[in-house]
Amino acid sequence: MAASLKPEEFDLMPTLGDVPRHHARTRGAQTALSFEGRLTSYAELDRHTNQVANALIAAGVRPGEAIAYLGKNSDHYFELALGAMKAGAIMAPIGWRLAPAEAAYIIDDAQARMLFVGPECMDCAHAALETTQTKPPLIAMEPPGEGPAYEAWRDAHAADDPRVAVAPEDTALLLYTSGTTGRPKGVMLTSANLMRSRRKLSEAAMGWNEWKEGEVNLVAMPAAHIGGTGWGLVGLINGVKNVVAREFNPFEILDYIPRERIAKMFMVPAALQFVIRTPRAREIDYSSLSHILYGASPMPLDLLRECMEVFGCEFVQQYGMTETTGTIVYLPPQDHDPKGNARMRSAGLPMPGVEIAILDAQGKRLGPNEIGEVATRSQANMKGYWKKPDATNAAVDAEGWLRTGDAGYLDEDGYLYIQDRIKDMIISGAENIYPAEVENAIHGHPHVAEVAVIGVPDEKWGEAVKAIVVPRPDTTPDAADIIAFARSRIAHYKAPKSVDFLDRPLPRNASGKILRRELREPYWAGRERRVN
């Protein structure tokens, strides 16, 4: 089969809004999106995104302003996002698992001009809007729902291309990632971030990253993550059929693969573990699968071996972050050995056009096998943090090097090995959780004097959130009550899974900062790496 996209075609798609325009001309009759029986061709996607753009313009949404989406995955989410980009607007998806207060913060921070809501998030949306300063009009993505229904809102407008002037360097996506201060930051990603890095990958012709005519992509990770929106856009950019799963469900994944003849999919290790633990996982026809890309958290070697045996396809590890528009380092299929090898413990090699350096605390570049902070420079690095210039300058230096917060080293062959996280972030089931945010939720409990939150090894989730609590005098705190208290204030997946109690003050350094590394040590003793 011939490759679906030639490198020179990227010159015809300088912005994401140009993606449906180009594919409508070259493969208009082919299916772009499939969602629960609803099929959308590339020609229809182009018309629908024109209608979305015209509807947003009629509603007064100006270039550079954001709209927000609160819901699970949908084909309509992707046409809404691409339509916004044709209008020069910015798409800001909100995690559907967030608590109303968290959603409200993002709506206000993004200054969202409109809020599009999936049926499963309507209650959350109304609760969030009660507390927001920004009061955007609400559009229901599916009927029944309060306010106008999405399709009727879209179809009330012309299908003519508005031809708004949009530059590749304009912000197109605003993906929120939690911050160490407890407040999420909006990561500004541009069309250039995605399109120019895709051109380099196409020119490199690495095999695993090439798409063939007729191949089918599965989009199952949440839209609020780069692994959801980013992966869906990769499939659309490459002009293939994209099957959109409303949410990750291991039973449904096993239905999608043989029925839709899935060729490629991106999944986090925790999701792959759920799939292969499903009783009929070894009864499925996986003959259509060519590659599974995995990342967002490390994959235990035993789990990787089992996945390779069950799925029988090639595997490619992906390392990156929201701030790098996803993948910047990959471990190619040829480095995956069922017997295991040293390189399977690495994140892999830099992607084409990506520079990786290991820096010490003073910013000096370190040599092979010396551990320091991983830094990266490429056209995929974010434009910056939304309305946070100081945070942007702290993350990206004047020469364009972005510090990842991960500790690692490069070997003599240029393979990157991640050893630990310099920042205190916890990765549980591929969700990024920051201790300060969880600690803020626990503080205020009447029995808690001090609290520190750490990640501890967990066979199911990679890491689990644990709270270390110093009780208030003359109280007898209950772990279950503290967990319930936290769950009432933040998303359930961020709340601690367990609570340990200390009868002494938390360890702190001279400036008063909690020494989380010291608290983590007993739980990670005997392990080669401080990530799981």
Side-chain angles (χ1 to χ4, degrees):
M1 291 187 293
S4 65
L5 207 64
K6 300 177 178 65
E8 55 269 24
E9 287 187 79
F10 287 92
D11 296 336
L12 304 174
M13 299 184 291
T15 71
L16 287 164
D18 291 317
V19 170
R21 292 182 180 118
H22 173 70
H23 291 319
R25 293 191 298 267
T26 58
R27 45 183 62 80
Q30 296 179 22
T31 300
L33 295 164
S34 172
F35 177 75
E36 298 180 354
R38 182 168 56 212
L39 300 179
T40 304
S41 71
Y42 276 100
E44 290 170 327
L45 180 63
D46 189 41
R47 290 197 297 273
H48 289 170
T49 51
N50 288 343
Q51 290 175 299
V52 167
N54 288 322
L56 291 173
I57 293 167
V61 179
R62 297 189 296 270
E65 294 183 329
I67 62 171
Y69 174 89
L70 176 59
K72 296 182 180 180
N73 292 355
S74 166
D75 55 342
H76 283 164
Y77 163 74
F78 285 99
E79 68 175 41
L80 177 63
L82 290 169
M85 294 165 194
K86 281 186 173 182
I90 302 166
M91 168 53 77
I94 302 172
W96 64 267
R97 298 169 68 188
L98 295 183
E102 296 169 306
Y105 174 81
I106 293 174
I107 292 168
D108 276 342
D109 188 70
Q111 291 291 289
R113 292 295 310 278
M114 301 186 74
L115 176 62
F116 297 82
V117 184
E120 56 283 320
C121 294
M122 200 60 70
D123 290 344
C124 176
H126 285 296
L129 290 175
E130 287 181 4
T131 63
T132 58
Q133 294 179 352
T134 308
K135 302 292 183 184
L138 186 152
I139 303 290
M141 294 302 293
E142 298 177 25
E146 297 179 35
Y150 169 76
E151 286 190 350
W153 171 83
R154 178 197 69 193
D155 294 344
H157 294 270
D160 298 329
D161 195 325
R163 292 294 173 182
V164 175
V166 180
E169 290 76 19
D170 291 342
T171 303
L173 273 173
L174 194 59
L175 297 181
Y176 275 80
T177 180
S178 295
T180 54
T181 61
R183 287 294 195 183
K185 298 190 291 290
V187 176
M188 296 185 289
L189 301 180
T190 68
S191 293
N193 289 145
L194 270 159
M195 302 306 299
R196 290 174 184 168
S197 60
R198 288 286 121 194
R199 166 89 196 229
K200 287 186 178 295
L201 297 184
S202 179
E203 291 172 338
M206 294 184 289
W208 63 266
N209 208 56
E210 296 178 80
W211 295 80
K212 311 297 183 184
E213 293 286 359
E215 285 193 329
V216 181
N217 179 37
L218 178 62
V219 183
M221 296 294 98
H225 292 246
I226 189 65
T229 289
W231 182 244
L233 289 174
V234 164
L236 290 167
I237 289 166
N238 282 279
V240 299
K241 177 181 178 180
N242 298 273
V243 176
V244 180
R246 187 180 292 266
E247 62 180 313
F248 170 76
N249 180 314
F251 300 99
E252 292 180 354
I253 297 301
L254 292 176
D255 290 333
Y256 281 127
I257 292 171
R259 185 179 73 229
E260 301 285 352
R261 304 298 294 166
I262 301 299
K264 290 185 175 73
M265 59 186 188
F266 172 83
M267 292 221 172
V268 301
L272 287 171
Q273 180 173 243
F274 284 130
V275 172
I276 64 169
R277 294 288 180 269
T278 303
R280 61 191 184 94
R282 286 162 174 77
E283 303 168 5
I284 300 298
D285 174 13
Y286 299 113
S287 60
S288 64
L289 271 179
S290 64
H291 296 87
I292 292 178
L293 285 68
Y294 65 95
S297 64
M299 172 91 89
L301 182 56
D302 288 341
L303 175 59
L304 180 55
R305 285 171 173 159
E306 188 176 0
C307 287
M308 292 171 69
E309 182 267 322
V310 170
F311 294 112
C313 64
E314 293 192 328
F315 279 73
V316 187
Q317 183 176 175
Q318 312 276 282
Y319 167 78
M321 54 199 301
T322 307
E323 287 89 339
T324 61
T325 323
T327 305
I328 52 171
V329 172
Y330 73 103
L331 187 69
Q334 57 266 31
D335 286 325
H336 287 71
D337 184 349
K339 298 177 182 177
N341 59 49
R343 284 182 174 171
M344 287 176 72
R345 297 195 64 80
S346 76
L349 296 163
M351 295 281 266
V354 173
E355 298 175 83
I356 298 291
I358 307 299
L359 307 178
D360 66 12
Q362 288 72 45
K364 176 186 174 184
R365 191 177 293 210
L366 300 175
N369 301 308
E370 292 185 293
I371 297 175
E373 184 172 6
V374 180
T376 181
R377 183 168 63 179
S378 77
Q379 292 178 328
N381 278 2
M382 67 175 179
K383 184 177 180 178
Y385 291 116
W386 176 259
K387 298 181 179 178
K388 289 180 171 57
D390 290 344
T392 300
N393 292 334
V396 185
D397 68 20
E399 296 180 345
W401 286 97
L402 185 150
R403 288 180 173 265
T404 66
D406 286 333
Y409 66 90
L410 291 167
D411 69 11
E412 294 84 353
D413 298 318
Y415 282 76
L416 175 66
Y417 291 76
I418 303 297
Q419 295 299 100
D420 202 347
R421 283 184 291 277
I422 291 174
K423 299 175 183 177
D424 291 320
M425 185 177 72
I426 300 163
I427 299 180
S428 182
E431 293 279 3
N432 294 351
I433 302 167
Y434 284 84
E437 187 176 13
V438 186
E439 289 162 2
N440 288 342
I442 295 173
H443 276 300
H445 188 285
H447 293 170
V448 174
E450 289 186 285
V451 59
V453 167
I454 60 173
V456 297
D458 185 272
E459 292 304 313
K460 186 175 185 180
W461 300 107
E463 291 181 78
V465 179
K466 178 181 283 290
I468 310 293
V469 168
V470 177
R472 288 185 181 272
D474 304 317
T475 63
T476 307
D478 175 75
D481 185 58
I482 290 172
I483 293 171
F485 182 82
R487 286 165 68 107
S488 72
R489 306 178 78 186
I490 55 174
H492 289 189
Y493 72 87
K494 298 179 184 179
K497 298 289 190 296
S498 61
V499 180
D500 286 355
F501 296 96
L502 279 182
D503 58 3
R504 60 187 185 280
L506 293 173
R508 298 175 183 270
N509 64 15
S511 63
K513 184 178 179 180
I514 296 172
L515 300 175
R516 292 194 184 90
R517 192 176 293 260
E518 183 177 316
L519 292 170
R520 293 176 72 208
E521 188 57 34
Y523 302 96
W524 292 88
R527 292 177 178 257
E528 182 180 344
R529 299 187 299 172
R530 294 307 192 257
V531 290
N532 193 34

